[in-house]
Amino acid sequence: MKFRDCESCLVYGTDNKPLSRARVETGNDETVRLYFSNYKLRSVRFQTFVDFYDMQQGLIRCYCELVIRKNAQENRINEPWMADCEILEISDVFQRQKDLRVRVHISTEFTLSSGSFFTGTIRNISAGGIYVVTSQAIKTGEKFFFTHRFEKDLCQVSAKILRVKRAATGGFGYGCQFVNLSSETEATIRKFVFAKQMEKQKNPGRKI
């Protein structure tokens, strides 16, 4: 596996839950090393999934063998743990422009960058953004955030309005892009979206 522009990743635990973010370094011989600012790790060898965030190729999910050990290099104060990473298999590649989008009906409260509030309903969601319907008139480019529990994980999510159109039922529909998502939040939303898609495939006649 050859990364083009990858500086960070998300490592999962053996329970398939996010374990820790890490900084990525790759060598000319395609060796991969991870550096952790997380102090709560331990020396261990194990196999797990890792999401690599490549700015050119998208999110690359790989099954890897990690050997985590204490960092003896100069950066050990800020990054006390490191890992040698051997990529065993490329599981999936998710290009942001091709992110899976599913229909949902999530009514919640949103907070604009000005501090004012509005209520609306998220009608579809992907790992890259949402489509929101509301009676509130908002300018393109405006930023806002909301808090929602995706499955078991409570996330605070920020987004920016890219486009607007009149909704068929009245009010406005806003196409929004997520901004400054943490690796953990993006992974949580991806997992939520895929779970909804699987639910839809198992129950094709059911509205989600």
Side-chain angles (χ1 to χ4, degrees):
M1 177 66 212
K2 187 173 181 62
F3 296 115
R4 297 178 186 173
D5 186 9
C6 180
E7 296 182 351
S8 64
C9 69
L10 175 64
V11 176
Y12 290 82
T14 53
D15 58 359
N16 291 325
K17 295 181 179 180
L19 175 66
S20 182
R21 285 181 289 177
R23 181 173 62 85
V24 178
E25 281 190 0
T26 56
N28 294 330
D29 56 354
E30 298 188 16
T31 57
V32 179
R33 282 182 176 167
L34 311 181
Y35 295 87
F36 302 88
S37 57
N38 185 346
Y39 281 79
K40 298 180 180 180
L41 301 179
R42 61 186 177 89
S43 297
V44 65
R45 177 193 293 266
F46 69 113
Q47 294 182 358
T48 188
F49 285 100
V50 179
D51 287 346
F52 292 95
Y53 297 90
D54 190 297
M55 297 301 291
Q56 296 187 42
Q57 299 180 87
L59 185 151
I60 304 171
R61 178 164 295 165
C62 301
Y63 192 66
C64 305
E65 181 170 89
L66 301 183
V67 180
I68 298 179
R69 63 181 188 276
K70 287 189 175 181
N71 184 6
Q73 300 182 14
E74 293 182 357
N75 59 350
R76 62 183 179 274
I77 295 177
N78 296 323
E79 297 172 333
W81 295 94
M82 64 180 293
D84 293 321
C85 176
E86 180 183 356
I87 297 175
L88 304 176
E89 179 184 356
I90 299 174
S91 176
D92 283 297
V93 178
F94 304 105
Q95 294 179 326
R96 292 182 184 276
Q97 64 269 29
K98 295 181 181 179
D99 271 326
L100 180 67
R101 183 175 295 273
V102 294
R103 292 182 180 180
V104 292
H105 193 278
I106 301 173
S107 297
T108 189
E109 185 176 73
F110 303 87
T111 304
L112 292 167
S113 54
S114 63
S116 59
F117 301 91
F118 71 94
T119 57
T121 302
I122 300 172
R123 294 294 177 85
N124 64 52
I125 184 170
S126 74
I130 54 176
Y131 183 76
V132 180
V133 174
T134 177
S135 61
Q136 181 78 28
I138 312 171
K139 295 180 179 179
T140 301
E142 185 72 61
K143 293 182 179 180
F144 62 89
F145 71 88
F146 67 97
T147 301
H148 183 70
R149 188 175 298 280
F150 293 97
E151 302 298 338
K152 297 180 181 180
D153 299 311
L154 185 64
C155 301
Q156 181 170 294
V157 184
S158 298
K160 179 174 68 174
I161 295 173
L162 298 183
R163 58 188 181 278
V164 57
K165 69 175 184 179
R166 285 281 184 176
T169 55
F172 304 90
Y174 297 98
C176 309
Q177 179 184 48
F178 293 140
V179 295
N180 300 323
L181 282 188
S182 69
S183 300
E184 289 88 346
T185 298
E186 182 174 345
T188 297
I189 293 175
R190 282 190 185 279
K191 185 177 179 181
F192 172 81
V193 170
F194 280 119
K196 288 295 183 183
Q197 182 65 15
M198 292 299 296
E199 181 181 339
K200 181 179 179 181
Q201 291 175 356
K202 291 179 181 178
N203 303 280
R206 179 183 174 187
K207 292 184 178 180
I208 297 177

